[in-house]
């Protein structure tokens, strides 16, 4: 996948990418999650010469929140983190979808319409009419019309970019929900989107809330997963990288070094080490980012402002259970249902897409305040609690549990990606103008999705390659031109 | 003459056999007894009526050569033979027949008869012309045939046809002019108008075997009837017709020269017979098996029959004359009464049927197989 | 899409045993001129299917009924079962069963009939496409060069072109139904239609049929052009040959005239 520029460009880039001593620029990527891996992938794709690329990962595995694990009692996988990938291709080109195809990974579309409220399934307007009468149906339809008027599929697609429409950032989401005059319809919408929001309607923007509602419309977005585990995507990317990957290497501090370099201090096992890099890319979730110390005053100030702007934590709780037999087919062949328990929970039937499954796998995705509150429960108590929430079609699964696992993703995602006011994309990724070799990458800069991380990584990778091609301090407009020339 | 390895059409076999019978009868009676179209005497009327069918032998042969060539073309094309190879084979066959015609004239008749321009040379030239004409649209071929028939009388007027036929046979000098004029206009089977028959046969086969069946036969039969009717009208009104239509050298229905009435009449009759026989016989081989069993051997070996029947009655005539009088041609046309020559002709035909059955069964090489070996 | 319909008497004996007493058979004549035999099993209103009397047994019974009854117009398509939010739909070409609350039955049967009409017409068009494509290989040479021996096939080729255009036209009319985007917010009818379209791969089949029809149309359009060119060339050639023949005969007349003058002198 290496791009091959014409020979003249190659020479220019080779000359400028190498320093006076002939050594290649050293690039450090801090974080081995999707952001770090995607950044490394794009850097290796875009650059014309091999970079000295180092990935620091604090844990023993790569992939971050995209994590697939196996049950102990059966060789069956379950999703610990992201249970689904988003497909924007109904609207426009979806780089993530293309990457998955490029890596040769199989995909299967998933969907689900049923929202269980008070034990009653609401899967369509007819059901909503039955439950809440004509007013519920009318109020919901009006909300849907308002939502789609406020955010077109194109707005939805561009929501993380500098071209995003006003609706994306306009006020809090709660007033928009309050406009639904019927309580049952309001509850239906609440439950439908709560687990995706991973926060409460009052804690996020109208734009982000609308995004999480409109993602249920196939005209805006569709869902898919990778059979065998979504982590295969991360493994496929990591397996194709030439970068030096250092596992169990937690970066503790970032500062400035000699000759404009950046100085990294990190802990590798029991040892405390330090290295200088020309470029440092921070690809960490917000809670991990806050634990990094910045020894340079200006950089520390910039990062403090960056964190203050973007720190809107949202929370997840994943409970996965293995059943001794396949799960009954959900009505409508759905792969998940929404439950009104815990403020709104998504229950995935992870085994639904496998017609040869010998066991059933259920996964609860609990988000928002409930996730924080329940995180303090013991695993057994948590499992018992979620089993109580099983909807009528799956009620029989309660007595068939063989094994259960709980994973707490407290503070792991953003409730308000991009912050209350959207910063320019360049500003989001380079918090300090004084430190031209320092970048950040993250889903919280875009839309809290894997697609957003990929966009963020591509943006920074292109910038880094262009910086080294044309010299430091290049302005964004110049950088764009330099990137084009480099490519 | 059978030039094609095309799928056998029963109508063609039967018609060709009829032509062979007519050919054998006319040649036996004419050469051994001198009883022919030009005869006169107290029984002239009866004589003419009896003799009329014998004039159809050559037109049938000529027309069938064109039809067979068309069928042969279809088979060669289906076999994937290239256009170039088809042309080469056609030319070889044409030249073979022309050469055979010259040899026949010398060996059967006399060396000075080499440029008689007999039916073999006509069909040979016809093949060479058809090699070009096969590229033409069928209606143009038909138009060419009709034009040939209608310009021939004018040509005969121009060349003084009767001067070459003073003694009742073609008499020419060994000059390039006479040889060429013999080939073109005044010989036994000059290309004007005899070339019209192979061309008509070619167009007729296209019409008969490659069109849609609905209404086709009716049109063909109607064309034949139209030809006959025109011929009859022309014969009846011969004296009133302009010289450009009647030509020179004969009155009304005459074979030598082949008058316009004769050409139209024979061509129309053969066309009508083709239509009728096609309707009756083709595709119904099971119903007419007995007839075809007898007809096919002669039809398959028409070329051999042509050569053989001459050899068996002309050569003995020459030998007999030489032995009896010291003059080889002394007994020509006076050797025996017509009844005797008719009996001989019948005997020859019956013998030939058995002979060619035997030849076919034993796969004995014949003139046809020689031609195929040499030309294909 | 329904042209006529009428309820079959239960005495017809085609309703399987073990179904509620008010189950009925309905024979629907679809717009595609096919019949759809519909087994309708009402459930009490207000239940989600899960609490209905023996819902599993009912769905198994109707599925078995659809699988067993042999119909001449059935194709290789398997029996498709769609569990749908308190309802259950079984379908195969010419036959369907609907299990659901009384209040939803009309919605479901209408949606099912609409889908069956669309699928039935597509299936007929697919067969016509198969017939067209079967002749493509045989006729393909005529798209490159039309020869005289193929003149007799002109009518056949023209007929096939008309057929290809007709199939393309019908497929174009069918396209909006085959490629209908999912409706949001969904209704029960839209969900049934979407799932049936998805399970029968209606959109993909339509695309394949369009591809085939397009192939045939392009081929026979090219054949038509070759035939037209051939006809024009033949007419021009005929005129040229006619002139050649006239010139040859004129030349022959001149030659004979010259030769006869030589004889005279």
């Amino acid at each position: 996948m290496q791009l091959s520029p014409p020979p003249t460009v190659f020479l220019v880039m080779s000359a400028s990418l190498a320093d006076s001593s002939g050594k290649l620029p050293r690039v450090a990527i801090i974080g081995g999650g999707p952001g770090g891996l995607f950044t490394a992938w794009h850097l290796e794709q875009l650059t014309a010469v091999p970079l000295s690329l180092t990935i620091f990962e604090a844990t023993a595995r790569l992939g971050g929140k995209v994590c697939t694990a196996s049950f102990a009692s059966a060789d069956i996988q379950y999703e610990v983190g992201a249970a689904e990938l988003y497909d924007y291709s109904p609207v426009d080109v979806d780089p993530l979808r293309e990457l998955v195809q490029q890596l040769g990974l199989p995909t299967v579309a998933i969907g689900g319409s049923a929202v269980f409220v008070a034990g009653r399934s609401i899967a369509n307007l007819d059901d909503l009419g039955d439950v809440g009468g004509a007013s519920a149906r009318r109020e919901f339809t009006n909300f849907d019309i308002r939502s789609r008027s406020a955010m077109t599929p194109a707005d939805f697609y561009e929501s993380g970019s500098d071209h995003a429409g006003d609706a994306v950032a306009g006020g809090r989401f709660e007033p928009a929900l309050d406009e639904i005059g019927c309580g049952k319809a309001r509850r239906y919408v609440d439950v439908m989107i709560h687990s995706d929001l991973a926060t409460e309607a009052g804690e996020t923007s109208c734009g982000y809330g609308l995004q999480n509602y409109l993602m249920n419309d196939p005209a805006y977005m569709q869902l898919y997963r990778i059979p065998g585990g979504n982590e295969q995507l991360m493994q496929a990317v990591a397996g194709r990288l030439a970068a030096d990957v250092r596992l169990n290497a937690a970066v503790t501090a970032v500062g400035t070094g000699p000759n404009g370099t950046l100085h990294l201090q990190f802990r590798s096992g029991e040892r405390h080490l330090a290295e200088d890099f020309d470029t440092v890319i921070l690809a960490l979730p917000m809670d991990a980012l806050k634990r990094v110390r910045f020894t340079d005053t200006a950089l520390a100030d910039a990062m403090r402002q960056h964190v203050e702007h973007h720190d809107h934590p949202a929370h997840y709780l994943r409970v996965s259970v293995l059943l001794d037999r396949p799960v009954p087919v959900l009505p409508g062949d759905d792969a998940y249902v929404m439950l009104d328990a815990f403020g709104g929970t998504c229950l995935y039937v992870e085994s639904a897409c496998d017609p040869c499954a010998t066991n059933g796998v259920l996964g609860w995705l609990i988000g928002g305040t409930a996730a924080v509150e329940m995180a303090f429960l013991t695993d057994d108590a948590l499992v018992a609690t979620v089993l109580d929430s099983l909807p009528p079609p799956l009620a029989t699964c309660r007595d068939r549990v063989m094994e259960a696992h709980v994973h707490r993703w407290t503070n792991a995602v953003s409730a308000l990606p991009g912050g209350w006011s959207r910063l320019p994309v360049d500003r989001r990724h380079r918090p300090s103008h004084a430190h031209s070799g320092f970048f950040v990458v993250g889903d919280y800069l875009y839309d809290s999705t894997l697609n957003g991380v990929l966009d963020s990584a591509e943006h920074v990778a292109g910038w880094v390659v262009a910086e080294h091609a044309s010299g430091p301090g290049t302005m964004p407009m110049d950088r764009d031109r330099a990137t084009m020339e480099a490519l | 003459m059978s030039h094609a390895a095309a799928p056998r059409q029963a109508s063609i076999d039967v018609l060709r056999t009829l032509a062979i019978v007519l050919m054998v009868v006319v040649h036996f009676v004419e050469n051994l007894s001198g009883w022919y179209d030009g005869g006169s005497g107290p029984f002239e009327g009866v004589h003419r009526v009896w003799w009329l069918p014998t004039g159809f032998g050559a037109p049938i042969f000529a027309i069938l050569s064109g039809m067979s060539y068309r069928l042969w073309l279809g088979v060669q094309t289906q076999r994937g033979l290239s256009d170039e190879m088809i042309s080469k084979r056609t030319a070889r066959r044409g030249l073979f027949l022309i050469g055979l015609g010259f040899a026949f004239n010398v060996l059967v008749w006399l060396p000075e008869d080499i440029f008689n321009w007999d039916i073999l040379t006509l069909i040979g030239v016809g093949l060479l012309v058809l090699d070009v004409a096969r590229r033409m649209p069928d209606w143009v071929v038909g138009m060419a045939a009709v034009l040939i028939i209608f310009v021939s009388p004018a040509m005969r007027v121009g060349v003084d046809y009767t001067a070459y036929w003073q003694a009742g046979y073609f008499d020419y000098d060994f000059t390039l002019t006479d040889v060429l004029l013999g080939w073109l206009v005044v010989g036994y089977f000059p290309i004007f108008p005899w070339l019209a028959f192979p061309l008509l046969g070619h167009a007729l086969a296209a019409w008969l075997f490659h069109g849609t069946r609905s209404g086709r036969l009716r049109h063909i039969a109607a064309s034949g009837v139209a030809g006959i009717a025109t011929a009859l009208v022309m014969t009846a009104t011969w004296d009133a017709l302009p010289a450009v239509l009647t030509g020179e050298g004969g009155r009304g229905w005459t074979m030598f020269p082949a008058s316009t009435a004769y050409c139209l009449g024979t061509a129309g009759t053969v066309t009508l017979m083709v239509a009728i026989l096609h309707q009756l016989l083709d595709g119904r081989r099971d119903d007419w098996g007995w007839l075809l069993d007898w007809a096919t051997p002669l039809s398959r070996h028409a070329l051999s029959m042509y050569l053989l029947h001459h050899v068996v009655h002309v050569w003995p005539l020459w030998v007999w004359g030489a032995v009896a009088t010291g003059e080889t041609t002394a007994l020509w046309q006076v050797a025996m009464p017509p009844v005797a020559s008719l009996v001989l002709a019948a005997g020859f035909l019956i013998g030939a049927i058995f002979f060619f059955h035997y030849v076919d069964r034993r796969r004995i090489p014949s003139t046809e197989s020689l031609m195929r070996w040499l030309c294909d | 899409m329904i042209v006529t319909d009428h309820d079959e008497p239960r005495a017809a004996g085609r309703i399987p045993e073990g179904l509620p007493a008010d189950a009925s058979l309905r024979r629907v004549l679809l717009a595609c001129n096919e019949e759809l035999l519909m087994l309708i099993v009402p459930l009490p209103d207000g239940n989600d299917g899960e609490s209905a009397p023996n819902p599993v047994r009912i769905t198994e019974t109707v599925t078995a009924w659809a699988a067993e009854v042999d119909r001449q117009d059935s194709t290789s398509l398997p029996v498709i079962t769609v569990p749908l939010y308190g309802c259950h739909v079984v379908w195969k070409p010419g036959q369907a069963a609907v299990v659901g609350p009384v209040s939803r039955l009309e919605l479901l049967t209408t949606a099912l009939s609409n889908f069956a009409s669309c699928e039935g017409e597509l299936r007929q068009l697919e067969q016509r496409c198969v017939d067209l494509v079967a002749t493509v290989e045989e006729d393909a040479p005529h798209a490159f060069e039309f020869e005289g021996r193929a003149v007799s096939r002109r009518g056949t080729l023209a007929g096939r072109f008309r057929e290809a255009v007709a199939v393309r036209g019908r497929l174009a009319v069918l396209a909006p139904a085959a490629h209908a985007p999912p409706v949001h917010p969904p209704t029960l009818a839209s969900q049934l239609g979407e799932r049936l379209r998805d399970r029968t791969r209606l959109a993909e089949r339509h695309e394949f049929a369009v591809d085939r029809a397009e192939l045939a149309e392009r081929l026979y359009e090219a054949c038509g052009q070759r035939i037209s060119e051939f006809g024009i060339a033949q007419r021009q050639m005929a005129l040229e040959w006619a002139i050649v023949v006239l010139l040859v005969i004129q030349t022959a007349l001149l030659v004979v005239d010259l030769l006869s003058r030589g004889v005279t002198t």
Side-chain angles (χ1 to χ4, degrees):
Chain A
M1 297 306 293
Q2 192 80 16
L3 295 176
S4 301
T8 50
V9 178
F10 181 87
L11 290 174
V12 170
M13 292 186 69
S14 301
S16 51
L17 280 169
D19 64 12
S20 56
S21 64
K23 287 161 62 178
L24 292 172
R26 301 191 67 205
V27 178
I29 296 173
I30 303 169
L37 294 178
F38 285 157
T39 306
W41 166 267
H42 277 302
L43 276 172
E44 291 188 0
Q45 294 284 309
L46 294 175
T47 187
V49 293
L51 292 170
S52 174
L53 196 59
T54 307
I55 299 174
F56 293 89
E57 167 56 42
T59 69
R61 63 169 282 278
L62 295 171
K65 292 190 287 286
V66 183
C67 178
T68 307
S70 289
F71 290 104
S73 49
D75 185 21
I76 295 173
Q77 282 80 33
Y78 67 96
E79 296 296 347
V80 172
E84 64 212 6
L85 305 178
Y86 297 165
D87 179 6
Y88 290 86
S89 53
V91 185
D92 209 331
V93 175
D94 184 347
L96 183 63
R97 181 84 190 182
E98 289 187 345
L99 177 62
V100 170
Q101 286 176 345
Q102 184 184 338
L103 295 171
L105 296 169
T107 61
V108 58
I110 59 173
S113 302
V115 176
F116 278 86
V117 178
R120 174 70 197 263
S121 165
I122 306 173
N124 45 52
L125 285 176
D126 304 286
D127 291 341
L128 185 60
D130 284 353
V131 170
S135 67
R137 186 170 173 148
R138 186 180 60 249
E139 287 294 326
F140 173 69
T141 304
N142 288 340
F143 169 73
D144 179 75
I145 292 169
R146 283 197 300 275
S147 301
R148 284 196 274 173
S149 302
M151 185 180 286
T152 65
D155 295 333
F156 181 85
Y157 181 82
E158 295 283 356
S159 58
S161 73
D162 286 340
H163 315 294
D166 293 339
V168 175
R172 292 179 189 272
F173 185 42
E174 195 164 22
L177 284 179
D178 289 341
E179 288 183 37
I180 304 174
C182 172
K184 287 183 176 170
R186 161 73 191 258
R187 181 66 178 148
Y188 171 60
V189 176
D190 268 341
V191 174
M192 186 193 296
I193 65 175
H194 183 260
S195 64
D196 287 315
L197 270 179
T199 187
E200 307 311 317
E203 304 296 321
T204 191
S205 67
C206 182
Y208 189 56
L210 288 180
Q211 273 182 268
N212 279 275
Y213 166 70
L214 290 169
M215 63 186 278
N216 295 285
D217 185 346
Y220 283 72
M221 197 190 77
Q222 290 168 2
L223 303 178
Y224 65 101
R225 54 183 286 269
I226 299 171
N230 294 333
E231 193 180 339
Q232 291 173 96
L233 171 61
M234 295 295 103
Q235 291 168 347
V237 171
R240 286 166 173 76
L241 295 178
D244 174 21
V245 178
R246 299 186 189 178
L247 298 175
N248 298 310
V251 172
T252 54
V254 179
T256 49
N259 301 323
T261 59
L262 290 160
H263 184 70
L264 284 193
Q265 297 173 41
F266 57 99
R267 197 175 58 247
S268 180
E270 296 301 317
R271 295 183 298 166
H272 291 268
L273 302 170
E275 279 184 44
D276 291 335
F277 289 88
D278 298 302
T279 301
V280 169
I281 300 166
L282 228 56
L284 295 173
M286 188 52 69
D287 58 336
L289 187 65
K290 286 191 285 190
R291 290 196 291 271
V292 176
R293 188 164 49 87
F294 296 94
T295 55
D296 180 89
T297 311
L299 185 58
D301 284 345
M303 285 308 294
R304 182 179 46 74
Q305 290 175 22
H306 179 83
V307 169
E308 281 176 3
H309 185 84
H310 292 101
D311 187 20
H312 305 281
H315 322 280
Y316 280 123
L317 201 61
R318 291 298 309 263
V319 180
S320 304
V321 300
L322 176 70
L323 307 176
D324 62 359
R325 69 186 69 171
V327 180
V329 175
L330 283 177
D333 288 340
D334 290 346
Y336 59 83
V337 295
M338 296 294 181
L339 310 176
D340 59 349
F342 324 122
T345 303
C346 181
L347 172 59
Y348 293 97
V349 181
E350 293 189 23
S351 53
C353 299
D354 182 6
C356 302
T358 54
N359 298 73
V361 177
L362 296 176
W364 280 261
L365 174 67
I366 301 165
T369 309
V372 179
E373 292 168 352
M374 293 171 71
F376 298 102
L377 296 175
T378 63
D379 286 2
D380 289 341
L382 257 173
V383 171
T385 305
V386 297
L387 285 173
D388 285 340
S389 70
L390 280 169
L394 302 175
T396 55
C397 298
R398 183 184 175 83
D399 303 323
R400 297 174 183 165
V401 176
M402 294 172 64
E403 188 180 337
H405 293 276
V406 176
H407 297 271
R408 296 168 177 83
W409 296 99
T410 312
N411 297 326
V413 289
S414 174
L416 188 63
W420 285 110
S421 59
R422 289 265 180 191
L423 300 175
V425 173
D426 286 336
R427 173 90 187 278
R428 286 182 232 166
H429 290 94
R430 188 154 75 178
S432 170
H433 282 297
H435 299 81
S436 59
F438 182 80
F439 300 90
V440 292
V441 164
D443 60 353
Y444 64 87
L445 299 174
Y446 277 78
D447 56 3
S448 278
T449 66
L450 211 52
N451 309 69
V453 185
L454 186 63
D455 290 344
S456 177
E458 186 175 11
H459 187 85
V460 167
W463 197 346
V464 169
V465 169
E467 282 273 352
H468 286 286
S470 55
T474 310
M475 295 304 288
M477 281 190 301
D478 299 331
R479 172 181 48 80
D480 289 342
R481 192 169 61 242
T483 305
M484 293 301 294
E485 287 169 0
L487 291 175
Chain B
M1 321 284 144
S2 174
H3 306 296
R8 303 210 70 81
Q9 298 286 346
S11 56
I12 291 180
D13 278 337
V14 169
L15 208 51
R16 191 181 280 125
T17 303
L18 176 64
I20 289 169
V21 171
L22 292 173
M23 172 184 76
V24 170
V25 168
V26 73
H27 285 159
F28 268 68
V29 173
E30 183 180 338
N31 291 326
L32 298 178
S33 308
W35 216 32
Y36 59 98
D37 191 19
S40 59
F43 301 105
E44 185 181 350
V46 177
H47 179 155
R48 278 188 172 276
V49 171
W50 183 89
W51 196 251
L52 186 64
T54 59
F56 283 88
I60 293 174
F61 272 130
I63 287 176
L64 290 187
S65 74
M67 293 183 72
S68 295
Y69 180 68
R70 179 72 184 216
L71 294 171
W72 179 82
L73 274 182
V75 172
Q76 304 310 309
T77 310
Q78 278 178 2
R79 288 176 180 170
L81 204 68
S82 69
D83 189 70
E84 186 185 355
M85 277 308 296
I86 289 174
S87 284
K88 283 182 178 176
R89 289 186 179 183
T90 305
R92 286 180 201 144
R93 286 177 173 227
L95 293 172
F96 175 84
L97 288 175
I98 291 171
L100 193 64
F102 287 140
F104 170 81
N105 287 341
V106 171
L107 295 174
V108 172
W109 301 109
L110 297 169
E112 58 264 36
D113 291 325
I114 185 169
F115 294 117
N116 270 357
W117 304 111
D118 208 345
I119 188 80
L120 285 177
T121 50
L122 169 75
I123 293 175
V125 171
L127 279 180
L128 296 178
V129 173
L130 284 173
D131 200 11
V132 178
R134 69 188 172 90
R135 294 170 172 82
M136 299 179 186
D138 296 322
W139 70 267
V140 176
V141 177
M143 182 196 80
V146 173
L147 278 174
I148 286 170
I149 290 172
F150 279 96
V151 300
S152 297
M155 286 185 172
R156 286 200 293 275
V157 170
V159 301
D160 191 11
Y161 180 89
T162 50
Y164 293 91
W165 286 79
Q166 292 293 338
Y169 54 86
F170 177 48
D171 189 15
Y172 67 98
D173 297 331
F174 270 93
T175 62
L176 182 60
T177 301
D178 276 8
V179 169
L180 280 176
L181 284 176
W183 177 62
L184 282 169
V185 187
V186 295
Y188 278 98
F189 294 96
I191 60 171
F192 286 93
W194 284 89
L195 186 61
F197 292 106
L199 295 178
L200 278 176
H202 189 266
L204 183 61
W207 200 3
L208 189 66
F209 298 114
H210 297 278
T212 54
R213 194 174 181 86
S214 173
R216 181 186 53 184
L217 279 176
R218 280 204 310 276
H219 294 150
I220 292 173
S223 304
V225 170
I228 296 167
T230 309
L232 293 174
V233 170
M234 285 186 80
T235 306
T237 60
W238 192 259
D239 292 335
L241 293 175
V244 74
L245 280 179
T246 56
E248 185 180 314
R251 286 188 63 248
W253 185 290
T254 57
M255 185 174 176
F256 301 105
S259 66
T260 305
Y262 170 82
C263 292
L264 292 175
T266 51
T269 308
V270 175
T271 302
L272 183 61
M273 290 170 75
V274 164
I276 293 169
L277 290 174
H278 181 68
Q279 178 70 21
L280 285 177
L281 301 180
D282 289 343
R284 298 181 183 179
R285 188 165 274 272
D286 293 342
D287 299 338
W288 298 92
W290 60 272
L291 175 63
L292 299 173
D293 283 348
W294 291 107
T296 305
L298 291 186
S299 173
R300 284 171 61 86
H301 299 283
L303 179 57
S304 299
M305 274 295 287
Y306 179 78
L307 299 174
L308 186 64
H309 90 279
H310 272 101
V311 167
V312 298
H313 82 279
V314 175
W315 277 3
L317 193 64
W318 297 160
V319 173
W320 187 10
V323 171
T325 66
E327 173 64 36
T328 51
T329 58
L331 298 177
W332 183 53
Q333 294 189 331
V334 293
M336 61 187 74
V339 174
S341 55
L342 270 174
V343 170
L344 281 178
F348 170 77
L349 284 169
I350 293 167
I353 290 171
F354 288 103
F355 174 70
F356 286 113
H357 257 299
Y358 177 77
V359 165
D360 280 346
R361 204 165 50 244
R362 290 300 189 89
R363 298 180 181 277
I364 296 170
S366 62
T367 320
E368 289 77 13
S369 55
L370 172 68
M371 181 176 69
R372 281 194 289 273
W373 173 78
L374 201 63
C375 305
D376 289 352
Chain C
M1 290 287 194
I2 301 172
V3 176
T4 61
D5 64 345
H6 60 275
D7 288 338
E8 287 277 316
R10 189 181 173 81
R14 276 169 283 189
I15 298 174
E17 296 299 320
L19 295 181
D22 46 357
S24 63
L25 273 175
R26 182 182 295 181
R27 202 174 289 277
V28 181
L29 180 60
L30 303 171
C32 62
N33 286 327
E34 282 186 9
E35 254 188 10
L36 180 67
L37 182 63
M38 216 185 286
L39 174 61
I40 299 168
V41 184
L43 296 175
D45 263 334
N47 80 63
D48 284 340
E50 301 81 23
S51 58
N54 296 314
V56 175
R57 190 169 54 77
I58 289 176
T59 55
E60 284 175 354
T61 304
V62 298
T63 306
W65 169 82
E68 278 177 14
V69 176
D70 184 30
R71 291 181 64 83
Q72 288 183 342
D73 59 348
S74 65
T75 67
S76 58
L77 283 172
V79 174
I80 288 171
T81 59
V82 180
L84 194 71
Y85 313 115
C87 313
H88 195 88
V89 175
V90 179
W91 177 87
K92 75 172 185 180
Q95 210 173 331
V98 180
V99 182
V102 174
S103 61
R104 300 286 164 81
L105 285 178
E106 202 54 44
L107 283 175
L108 291 172
T109 52
T110 304
L112 193 57
S113 300
N114 288 339
F115 163 77
S117 272
C118 183
E119 197 280 337
E121 177 153 15
L122 178 60
R123 196 157 19 83
Q124 291 168 4
L125 291 171
E126 283 176 317
Q127 185 52 52
R128 288 167 72 179
C129 286
V130 167
D131 296 341
L132 275 173
V133 170
T135 59
V136 158
E137 198 170 336
E138 177 193 350
D139 295 333
H142 300 313
F144 179 73
E145 187 174 21
F146 193 80
E147 295 175 342
R149 77 183 88 158
V151 167
S152 61
R153 296 180 55 76
R154 187 160 50 188
T156 308
L157 294 173
R160 286 177 183 160
F161 176 67
R162 283 194 295 272
E163 169 70 358
V165 171
V167 170
R168 280 268 282 169
R170 289 308 306 163
L171 285 170
V173 171
L174 206 58
H179 294 274
V183 174
H184 186 83
T187 61
L188 186 63
S190 74
Q191 286 171 327
L192 175 60
E194 285 161 20
R195 278 157 182 76
L196 283 171
R197 283 202 302 271
D198 187 46
R199 298 285 293 275
T200 53
R201 301 172 59 80
L202 208 66
E204 290 91 339
R205 285 167 54 194
H206 181 269
E207 281 181 15
F208 294 152
V210 167
D211 286 349
R212 288 179 168 195
E214 192 178 327
L215 171 71
E217 187 190 4
R218 285 173 59 189
L219 171 72
Y220 291 113
E221 189 176 10
C223 285
Q225 287 173 354
R226 295 293 93 77
I227 290 169
S228 175
E229 289 163 4
F230 178 80
I232 293 168
Q234 284 293 101
R235 282 193 289 277
Q236 288 175 347
M237 192 178 73
L239 193 63
E240 288 164 6
W241 276 117
I243 293 168
V244 167
V245 165
L246 289 169
L247 288 174
V248 167
I249 287 177
Q250 187 188 14
T251 306
L253 278 166
L254 284 172
V255 168
V256 169
D257 187 45
L258 284 173
L259 289 172
S260 65
R261 284 169 195 271
V263 169
T264 305
T265 54

